Amino acid sequence: MSTKLVSQGAESAAPCVAYRARILYFRGRPASSGEDDATISLEDGLLVVEDGRIAQVGDYGTLAPALDAGTEIVDWRGKLIMPGFIDTHVHYPQTDIIASPATGLLPWLETYTFPTEGRFGDPAYAADVARFFVDELLRCGTTTALVYCTVHPESADALFAESHARNMRMVAGKVMMDRNCPEYLRDTAESGARDSEMLIQRWHGKGRQMYGLTPRFAPTSTEAQLAVCGELAQQYHDVFIQSHVAENADEIKWVSELFPQARSYLDVYDRFGLLRRRAVYGHSIWLDETDRLRMRDTGAVAAHCPTSNLFLASGLFDFAAADAAGMAYTLATDVGGGTSFSMLQTMNEAHKVARMSGSHLSAHTMFYLATEGAAQSLDLGGTIGTLAPGAEADFVVLDPCATPLLARRTARAESLEELLFALVMLGDDRAIAATYVAGHRMHAPQGEAVSAQAGATA
Protein backbone atom coordinates (compact mmCIF):
# COMPACT_ATOMS: atom_id res chain seq x y z
CA MET A 1 0.00 0.00 0.00
CA SER A 2 1.43 3.36 -0.96
CA THR A 3 1.50 5.87 1.89
CA LYS A 4 2.32 9.48 2.52
CA LEU A 5 3.64 11.15 5.64
CA VAL A 6 1.04 13.18 7.50
CA SER A 7 2.10 16.16 9.56
CA GLN A 8 0.89 16.45 13.16
CA GLY A 9 -2.88 16.79 13.30
CA ALA A 10 -3.20 16.64 9.52
CA GLU A 11 -5.59 13.72 9.35
CA SER A 12 -8.75 14.64 7.51
CA ALA A 13 -12.04 15.47 9.18
CA ALA A 14 -13.81 12.92 6.99
CA PRO A 15 -16.80 11.25 8.69
CA CYS A 16 -15.15 7.81 8.34
CA VAL A 17 -11.46 7.13 9.07
CA ALA A 18 -9.74 3.81 9.80
CA TYR A 19 -6.70 3.28 12.05
CA ARG A 20 -4.26 0.40 11.60
CA ALA A 21 -2.22 -0.75 14.61
CA ARG A 22 -2.00 -3.39 17.27
CA ILE A 23 -5.32 -3.02 19.10
CA LEU A 24 -6.18 -3.87 22.70
CA TYR A 25 -9.30 -3.48 24.79
CA PHE A 26 -11.30 -5.45 27.35
CA ARG A 27 -14.80 -6.87 27.66
CA GLY A 28 -14.44 -7.88 31.30
CA ARG A 29 -11.87 -8.02 34.07
CA PRO A 30 -8.96 -10.17 32.87
CA ALA A 31 -7.63 -13.08 34.87
CA SER A 32 -4.54 -12.42 36.95
CA SER A 33 -2.43 -13.92 34.17
CA GLY A 34 -4.13 -11.73 31.58
CA GLU A 35 -4.60 -14.72 29.29
CA ASP A 36 -8.35 -15.17 28.86
CA ASP A 37 -11.33 -14.19 26.75
CA ALA A 38 -11.79 -10.88 28.58
CA THR A 39 -8.89 -9.40 26.61
CA ILE A 40 -9.36 -8.47 22.95
CA SER A 41 -5.92 -8.28 21.34
CA LEU A 42 -5.45 -7.83 17.58
CA GLU A 43 -1.85 -8.03 16.36
CA ASP A 44 -2.67 -6.28 13.06
CA GLY A 45 -5.97 -4.60 13.77
CA LEU A 46 -8.16 -1.99 12.16
CA LEU A 47 -10.31 0.49 14.08
CA VAL A 48 -12.96 2.16 11.93
CA VAL A 49 -14.34 5.43 13.28
CA GLU A 50 -17.43 7.09 11.86
CA ASP A 51 -18.94 10.35 13.10
CA GLY A 52 -17.08 10.20 16.41
CA ARG A 53 -17.97 6.61 17.28
CA ILE A 54 -16.42 3.21 16.80
CA ALA A 55 -18.04 1.66 13.73
CA GLN A 56 -15.97 -1.53 13.39
CA VAL A 57 -12.96 -3.19 14.96
CA GLY A 58 -11.22 -6.34 13.81
CA ASP A 59 -8.32 -7.83 11.89
CA TYR A 60 -6.93 -5.57 9.21
CA GLY A 61 -6.89 -8.37 6.64
CA THR A 62 -10.59 -8.96 7.14
CA LEU A 63 -11.92 -5.41 7.39
CA ALA A 64 -9.69 -3.42 5.03
CA PRO A 65 -10.89 -5.01 1.77
CA ALA A 66 -14.48 -4.19 2.66
CA LEU A 67 -13.88 -0.48 3.31
CA ASP A 68 -15.41 1.98 0.91
CA ALA A 69 -12.96 3.12 -1.73
CA GLY A 70 -11.23 6.31 -0.66
CA THR A 71 -11.60 5.70 3.08
CA GLU A 72 -8.56 7.15 4.78
CA ILE A 73 -6.40 4.61 6.63
CA VAL A 74 -4.09 6.07 9.27
CA ASP A 75 -1.14 3.75 9.74
CA TRP A 76 0.04 3.41 13.34
CA ARG A 77 1.81 0.06 12.87
CA GLY A 78 4.42 -0.50 15.54
CA LYS A 79 2.13 1.26 18.04
CA LEU A 80 -0.68 0.08 20.31
CA ILE A 81 -4.19 1.55 20.19
CA MET A 82 -6.20 1.34 23.41
CA PRO A 83 -9.23 3.14 24.86
CA GLY A 84 -8.43 6.54 26.33
CA PHE A 85 -7.55 6.52 30.02
CA ILE A 86 -10.11 7.45 32.68
CA ASP A 87 -8.85 9.36 35.74
CA THR A 88 -11.47 9.05 38.46
CA HIS A 89 -10.21 11.64 40.96
CA VAL A 90 -8.23 14.81 40.17
CA HIS A 91 -8.21 18.46 41.32
CA TYR A 92 -7.66 20.89 38.45
CA PRO A 93 -7.15 23.94 40.75
CA GLN A 94 -4.17 22.14 42.30
CA THR A 95 -2.28 21.95 39.02
CA ASP A 96 0.09 24.73 40.07
CA ILE A 97 0.86 23.27 43.51
CA ILE A 98 1.81 19.77 42.39
CA ALA A 99 5.05 18.67 44.09
CA SER A 100 4.68 21.04 47.06
CA PRO A 101 6.38 19.84 50.26
CA ALA A 102 4.32 19.16 53.39
CA THR A 103 4.35 16.93 56.45
CA GLY A 104 0.90 15.49 55.80
CA LEU A 105 -2.55 15.97 54.30
CA LEU A 106 -4.02 18.58 56.64
CA PRO A 107 -0.90 20.84 56.73
CA TRP A 108 -0.67 20.53 52.95
CA LEU A 109 -4.25 21.77 52.58
CA GLU A 110 -3.65 24.75 54.85
CA THR A 111 -0.29 25.76 53.39
CA TYR A 112 -0.79 25.25 49.66
CA THR A 113 -4.24 24.12 48.60
CA PHE A 114 -6.56 26.64 50.17
CA PRO A 115 -4.51 29.78 49.29
CA THR A 116 -4.20 28.62 45.67
CA GLU A 117 -7.88 27.78 45.35
CA GLY A 118 -8.73 31.29 46.55
CA ARG A 119 -7.70 32.65 43.15
CA PHE A 120 -10.34 30.78 41.17
CA GLY A 121 -13.05 33.38 41.62
CA ASP A 122 -11.25 35.19 38.79
CA PRO A 123 -12.68 33.75 35.54
CA ALA A 124 -9.58 34.63 33.53
CA TYR A 125 -7.28 32.87 35.97
CA ALA A 126 -9.57 29.83 36.14
CA ALA A 127 -9.72 29.64 32.35
CA ASP A 128 -5.93 29.76 32.05
CA VAL A 129 -5.44 26.90 34.51
CA ALA A 130 -8.28 24.90 32.95
CA ARG A 131 -6.65 25.19 29.53
CA PHE A 132 -3.30 23.93 30.80
CA PHE A 133 -4.98 21.19 32.84
CA VAL A 134 -6.92 19.81 29.87
CA ASP A 135 -3.81 20.00 27.69
CA GLU A 136 -1.95 17.96 30.29
CA LEU A 137 -4.67 15.32 30.48
CA LEU A 138 -4.57 14.85 26.72
CA ARG A 139 -0.78 14.82 26.67
CA CYS A 140 -0.92 11.88 29.07
CA GLY A 141 -3.61 9.99 27.16
CA THR A 142 -6.46 10.77 29.55
CA THR A 143 -9.73 11.41 27.74
CA THR A 144 -12.17 11.42 30.69
CA ALA A 145 -11.66 12.60 34.25
CA LEU A 146 -13.69 13.19 37.40
CA VAL A 147 -12.58 16.68 38.35
CA TYR A 148 -12.84 18.76 41.50
CA CYS A 149 -13.15 22.49 40.91
CA THR A 150 -13.16 25.08 43.72
CA VAL A 151 -16.02 26.57 45.72
CA HIS A 152 -16.39 29.25 43.03
CA PRO A 153 -18.97 28.52 40.30
CA GLU A 154 -16.62 30.34 37.93
CA SER A 155 -14.07 27.57 38.34
CA ALA A 156 -16.55 24.94 37.17
CA ASP A 157 -17.68 27.11 34.28
CA ALA A 158 -14.06 27.50 33.14
CA LEU A 159 -13.34 23.76 33.25
CA PHE A 160 -16.56 22.78 31.51
CA ALA A 161 -16.09 25.44 28.83
CA GLU A 162 -12.60 24.15 28.04
CA SER A 163 -13.71 20.52 28.02
CA HIS A 164 -16.77 21.28 25.91
CA ALA A 165 -14.61 23.10 23.37
CA ARG A 166 -12.56 19.88 22.98
CA ASN A 167 -15.71 17.69 22.97
CA MET A 168 -14.36 15.60 25.85
CA ARG A 169 -16.56 13.48 28.10
CA MET A 170 -15.84 15.11 31.44
CA VAL A 171 -17.33 14.94 34.93
CA ALA A 172 -16.74 17.93 37.20
CA GLY A 173 -18.29 19.84 40.05
CA LYS A 174 -18.03 22.92 42.21
CA VAL A 175 -16.72 22.06 45.68
CA MET A 176 -19.25 22.48 48.49
CA MET A 177 -17.58 23.62 51.72
CA ASP A 178 -19.34 25.55 54.50
CA ARG A 179 -17.06 25.09 57.52
CA ASN A 180 -13.50 24.37 58.67
CA CYS A 181 -11.97 26.29 55.78
CA PRO A 182 -10.86 29.87 55.14
CA GLU A 183 -13.70 32.39 54.97
CA TYR A 184 -12.77 33.26 51.39
CA LEU A 185 -13.51 29.65 50.34
CA ARG A 186 -16.68 29.16 52.34
CA ASP A 187 -20.16 28.82 50.92
CA THR A 188 -23.33 27.95 52.85
CA ALA A 189 -25.66 25.01 52.65
CA GLU A 190 -28.11 27.18 50.72
CA SER A 191 -25.62 28.87 48.37
CA GLY A 192 -23.74 25.63 47.74
CA ALA A 193 -26.96 23.89 46.74
CA ARG A 194 -28.12 26.84 44.65
CA ASP A 195 -24.83 27.14 42.77
CA SER A 196 -24.60 23.38 42.24
CA GLU A 197 -28.11 23.18 40.83
CA MET A 198 -27.43 26.12 38.54
CA LEU A 199 -24.31 24.36 37.22
CA ILE A 200 -26.20 21.09 36.78
CA GLN A 201 -28.80 22.84 34.68
CA ARG A 202 -26.15 24.69 32.69
CA TRP A 203 -23.71 21.85 32.01
CA HIS A 204 -25.02 18.37 32.79
CA GLY A 205 -25.82 16.75 29.46
CA LYS A 206 -24.48 19.66 27.42
CA GLY A 207 -22.52 17.88 24.72
CA ARG A 208 -20.41 15.33 26.58
CA GLN A 209 -20.30 17.20 29.91
CA MET A 210 -21.57 15.60 33.11
CA TYR A 211 -21.94 17.10 36.57
CA GLY A 212 -20.64 15.75 39.86
CA LEU A 213 -21.99 16.93 43.21
CA THR A 214 -18.80 17.63 45.16
CA PRO A 215 -18.84 18.05 48.93
CA ARG A 216 -15.09 18.36 49.47
CA PHE A 217 -14.93 16.00 52.41
CA ALA A 218 -17.06 15.48 55.48
CA PRO A 219 -15.06 17.78 57.82
CA THR A 220 -15.69 20.81 55.60
CA SER A 221 -19.47 20.32 55.30
CA THR A 222 -22.09 20.75 57.99
CA GLU A 223 -24.90 18.24 58.33
CA ALA A 224 -27.15 20.81 56.68
CA GLN A 225 -24.92 20.96 53.62
CA LEU A 226 -24.63 17.19 53.33
CA ALA A 227 -28.40 16.98 53.64
CA VAL A 228 -29.06 19.38 50.74
CA CYS A 229 -26.42 17.56 48.72
CA GLY A 230 -28.33 14.32 49.31
CA GLU A 231 -31.55 16.02 48.22
CA LEU A 232 -29.91 17.17 44.97
CA ALA A 233 -28.58 13.66 44.41
CA GLN A 234 -32.09 12.28 44.75
CA GLN A 235 -33.58 14.96 42.48
CA TYR A 236 -30.90 14.58 39.80
CA HIS A 237 -30.40 10.84 39.88
CA ASP A 238 -28.02 10.66 36.90
CA VAL A 239 -25.45 13.16 38.15
CA PHE A 240 -22.30 11.93 39.86
CA ILE A 241 -21.27 12.35 43.49
CA GLN A 242 -17.62 12.71 44.43
CA SER A 243 -15.83 13.24 47.71
CA HIS A 244 -13.05 11.90 49.91
CA VAL A 245 -13.20 9.20 52.55
CA ALA A 246 -10.83 7.45 54.96
CA GLU A 247 -7.67 8.92 53.47
CA ASN A 248 -5.63 9.80 56.54
CA ALA A 249 -5.58 8.75 60.20
CA ASP A 250 -5.73 12.33 61.53
CA GLU A 251 -8.63 13.09 59.20
CA ILE A 252 -10.55 10.03 60.41
CA LYS A 253 -10.12 11.09 64.05
CA TRP A 254 -11.41 14.55 63.14
CA VAL A 255 -14.48 13.09 61.42
CA SER A 256 -15.29 10.95 64.47
CA GLU A 257 -15.27 14.10 66.59
CA LEU A 258 -17.43 16.08 64.16
CA PHE A 259 -19.94 13.27 63.55
CA PRO A 260 -20.00 11.22 66.78
CA GLN A 261 -23.28 9.54 65.82
CA ALA A 262 -21.83 7.98 62.67
CA ARG A 263 -20.50 4.43 62.79
CA SER A 264 -17.60 5.30 60.48
CA TYR A 265 -16.34 7.99 58.12
CA LEU A 266 -18.15 6.29 55.21
CA ASP A 267 -21.32 6.11 57.28
CA VAL A 268 -21.42 9.91 57.41
CA TYR A 269 -22.12 9.99 53.67
CA ASP A 270 -24.47 7.02 53.84
CA ARG A 271 -26.69 8.79 56.37
CA PHE A 272 -27.33 11.55 53.85
CA GLY A 273 -28.05 9.32 50.85
CA LEU A 274 -24.70 9.88 49.20
CA LEU A 275 -23.79 6.24 48.53
CA ARG A 276 -25.18 4.96 45.24
CA ARG A 277 -24.22 4.23 41.64
CA ARG A 278 -22.10 7.06 40.23
CA ALA A 279 -20.81 7.95 43.70
CA VAL A 280 -17.00 7.96 43.72
CA TYR A 281 -14.94 8.28 46.90
CA GLY A 282 -11.28 9.15 46.69
CA HIS A 283 -8.73 7.09 48.64
CA SER A 284 -10.93 4.71 50.71
CA ILE A 285 -7.84 3.40 52.49
CA TRP A 286 -8.94 2.97 56.11
CA LEU A 287 -12.24 1.19 55.58
CA ASP A 288 -13.40 -1.83 57.54
CA GLU A 289 -15.29 -4.85 56.24
CA THR A 290 -18.69 -3.30 56.96
CA ASP A 291 -17.73 -0.21 54.97
CA ARG A 292 -16.49 -2.23 52.01
CA LEU A 293 -19.62 -4.36 51.92
CA ARG A 294 -21.73 -1.23 52.09
CA MET A 295 -19.88 0.22 49.10
CA ARG A 296 -20.49 -3.01 47.23
CA ASP A 297 -24.18 -3.06 48.06
CA THR A 298 -24.78 0.57 47.09
CA GLY A 299 -22.64 0.55 43.94
CA ALA A 300 -20.34 3.29 45.25
CA VAL A 301 -16.78 3.30 43.91
CA ALA A 302 -13.37 3.74 45.53
CA ALA A 303 -10.87 5.82 43.55
CA HIS A 304 -7.40 4.54 44.45
CA CYS A 305 -4.81 7.34 44.31
CA PRO A 306 -1.41 5.67 44.77
CA THR A 307 0.97 8.55 44.04
CA SER A 308 -0.94 10.84 46.40
CA ASN A 309 -1.22 8.21 49.14
CA LEU A 310 2.51 7.62 49.02
CA PHE A 311 3.41 11.32 48.74
CA LEU A 312 1.33 12.28 51.77
CA ALA A 313 2.07 9.00 53.62
CA SER A 314 -1.66 8.38 53.96
CA GLY A 315 -1.52 4.59 53.79
CA LEU A 316 -1.77 1.60 51.44
CA PHE A 317 -4.99 0.67 49.68
CA ASP A 318 -6.00 -2.92 50.53
CA PHE A 319 -6.69 -4.62 47.19
CA ALA A 320 -7.25 -8.03 48.74
CA ALA A 321 -9.90 -6.76 51.15
CA ALA A 322 -11.60 -4.79 48.37
CA ASP A 323 -11.70 -7.87 46.13
CA ALA A 324 -12.96 -10.07 48.96
CA ALA A 325 -15.81 -7.65 49.61
CA GLY A 326 -16.61 -7.32 45.91
CA MET A 327 -16.46 -3.51 46.00
CA ALA A 328 -15.62 -1.55 42.88
CA TYR A 329 -12.39 0.42 42.65
CA THR A 330 -10.60 2.43 40.00
CA LEU A 331 -7.30 4.29 39.56
CA ALA A 332 -6.77 8.03 39.86
CA THR A 333 -3.95 10.58 39.84
CA ASP A 334 -5.29 12.94 42.56
CA VAL A 335 -3.16 15.82 41.30
CA GLY A 336 -1.97 17.95 43.14
CA GLY A 337 -1.48 15.57 46.08
CA GLY A 338 -0.70 13.09 43.34
CA THR A 339 2.64 13.63 41.68
CA SER A 340 1.86 12.87 38.02
CA PHE A 341 -0.91 13.38 35.47
CA SER A 342 0.21 10.17 33.77
CA MET A 343 -2.04 7.16 34.25
CA LEU A 344 0.94 4.99 33.26
CA GLN A 345 2.87 6.36 36.22
CA THR A 346 -0.22 5.92 38.38
CA MET A 347 -0.38 2.25 37.38
CA ASN A 348 3.32 1.95 38.18
CA GLU A 349 2.75 3.11 41.76
CA ALA A 350 -0.45 1.09 42.13
CA HIS A 351 1.52 -2.04 41.32
CA LYS A 352 4.00 -1.23 44.08
CA VAL A 353 1.27 -0.43 46.60
CA ALA A 354 -0.35 -3.77 45.82
CA ARG A 355 2.93 -5.64 46.26
CA MET A 356 3.60 -3.93 49.61
CA SER A 357 0.20 -5.06 50.87
CA GLY A 358 0.63 -8.64 49.66
CA SER A 359 -1.32 -8.42 46.39
CA HIS A 360 -0.32 -8.51 42.74
CA LEU A 361 -1.76 -6.45 39.90
CA SER A 362 -1.02 -7.76 36.43
CA ALA A 363 -0.46 -5.23 33.66
CA HIS A 364 -3.65 -6.46 32.03
CA THR A 365 -5.56 -5.69 35.23
CA MET A 366 -4.07 -2.22 35.57
CA PHE A 367 -4.95 -1.24 32.01
CA TYR A 368 -8.43 -2.68 32.56
CA LEU A 369 -8.89 -0.58 35.70
CA ALA A 370 -7.90 2.56 33.77
CA THR A 371 -10.28 1.86 30.87
CA GLU A 372 -13.15 -0.65 30.76
CA GLY A 373 -13.13 -1.23 34.52
CA ALA A 374 -13.45 2.48 35.25
CA ALA A 375 -16.21 2.90 32.68
CA GLN A 376 -18.23 0.02 34.11
CA SER A 377 -17.77 1.29 37.67
CA LEU A 378 -18.91 4.77 36.64
CA ASP A 379 -22.04 3.45 34.95
CA LEU A 380 -20.60 4.43 31.55
CA GLY A 381 -19.92 0.95 30.18
CA GLY A 382 -20.27 0.76 26.42
CA THR A 383 -19.88 4.53 26.15
CA ILE A 384 -16.21 5.06 27.00
CA GLY A 385 -13.32 2.83 28.08
CA THR A 386 -13.77 0.40 25.19
CA LEU A 387 -13.15 0.07 21.46
CA ALA A 388 -16.28 -2.02 20.90
CA PRO A 389 -18.58 -0.87 18.09
CA GLY A 390 -20.98 1.84 19.19
CA ALA A 391 -18.68 3.35 21.80
CA GLU A 392 -17.50 6.93 21.65
CA ALA A 393 -14.18 7.05 19.80
CA ASP A 394 -11.88 8.16 22.62
CA PHE A 395 -8.59 6.31 22.25
CA VAL A 396 -4.87 6.58 22.78
CA VAL A 397 -1.91 5.44 20.70
CA LEU A 398 0.93 4.05 22.83
CA ASP A 399 4.51 3.87 21.58
CA PRO A 400 6.46 0.88 22.96
CA CYS A 401 9.65 2.48 21.62
CA ALA A 402 9.13 5.96 23.07
CA THR A 403 12.48 5.95 24.90
CA PRO A 404 15.68 3.99 24.26
CA LEU A 405 15.24 1.93 27.42
CA LEU A 406 11.57 1.20 26.73
CA ALA A 407 12.40 0.21 23.16
CA ARG A 408 15.18 -2.09 24.31
CA ARG A 409 12.94 -3.78 26.88
CA THR A 410 9.84 -4.15 24.71
CA ALA A 411 11.91 -5.61 21.87
CA ARG A 412 12.53 -8.55 24.20
CA ALA A 413 8.93 -8.95 25.36
CA GLU A 414 7.75 -12.51 24.82
CA SER A 415 4.09 -11.93 25.72
CA LEU A 416 1.51 -9.18 25.74
CA GLU A 417 1.73 -9.09 29.54
CA GLU A 418 5.46 -8.36 29.33
CA LEU A 419 4.88 -5.61 26.78
CA LEU A 420 2.17 -3.95 28.85
CA PHE A 421 4.15 -4.33 32.06
CA ALA A 422 7.14 -2.57 30.48
CA LEU A 423 4.87 0.29 29.40
CA VAL A 424 3.62 0.61 32.99
CA MET A 425 7.03 0.42 34.63
CA LEU A 426 9.02 2.47 32.10
CA GLY A 427 6.38 4.60 30.37
CA ASP A 428 5.15 8.12 30.99
CA ASP A 429 3.77 10.95 28.86
CA ARG A 430 6.49 10.28 26.27
CA ALA A 431 4.82 6.95 25.48
CA ILE A 432 1.67 8.73 24.28
CA ALA A 433 2.05 8.97 20.50
CA ALA A 434 -1.45 10.40 20.01
CA THR A 435 -4.70 11.01 21.84
CA TYR A 436 -8.04 10.99 20.04
CA VAL A 437 -11.29 12.44 21.37
CA ALA A 438 -14.54 11.51 19.60
CA GLY A 439 -12.44 10.49 16.63
CA HIS A 440 -10.47 13.73 16.43
CA ARG A 441 -6.73 13.82 17.03
CA MET A 442 -6.27 16.17 19.99
CA HIS A 443 -2.66 15.45 20.90
CA ALA A 444 0.25 14.08 18.87
CA PRO A 445 3.76 15.25 19.75
CA GLN A 446 5.54 13.24 17.08
CA GLY A 447 3.20 13.33 14.09
CA GLU A 448 4.41 9.96 12.87
CA ALA A 449 1.20 8.49 11.48
CA VAL A 450 0.95 7.92 7.75
CA SER A 451 -2.19 7.92 5.67
CA ALA A 452 -3.36 5.93 2.69
CA GLN A 453 -6.59 5.42 0.80
CA ALA A 454 -8.53 2.18 0.94
CA GLY A 455 -8.13 0.35 -2.34
CA ALA A 456 -4.52 1.46 -2.87
CA THR A 457 -2.11 -1.32 -3.72
CA ALA A 458 0.08 -2.67 -0.97
Side-chain angles (χ1 to χ4, degrees), residues 7 19 36 57 59 100 115 118 151 179 185-186 203 242 312 314 343 397 410 429 452:
S7 61
Y19 301 86
D36 64 8
V57 61
D59 290 316
S100 296
V151 72
R179 67 169 171 175
L185 287 177
R186 191 172 303 170
W203 290 110
Q242 55 181 356
L312 295 170
S314 297
M343 289 298 288
V397 183
T410 56
D429 57 282

Side-chain angles (χ1 to χ4, degrees), residues 6 71 114 158 166 190 217 264 270 295 311 323 339 352 374 382 399 425 455 458:
V6 175
T71 300
F114 290 155
R166 319 276 187 110
E190 294 75 17
F217 68 147
S264 67
D270 201 5
M295 291 192 76
F311 177 70
D323 288 335
T339 54
K352 297 169 186 174
D399 183 3
M425 292 295 115

Side-chain angles (χ1 to χ4, degrees), residues 1-7 10-12 14 16-20 46-47 60 64 67-77 436 441 448-458:
M1 179 179 291
S2 60
T3 59
K4 62 178 181 177
L5 187 66
V6 175
S7 61
E11 291 147 43
S12 73
C16 184
V17 180
Y19 301 86
R20 184 179 185 181
L46 194 69
L47 185 73
Y60 173 82
L67 291 175
D68 291 339
T71 300
E72 183 181 7
I73 300 175
V74 180
D75 193 341
W76 284 111
R77 275 179 291 179
Y436 289 80
R441 190 173 175 181
E448 290 182 349
V450 294
S451 174
Q453 301 297 316
T457 56

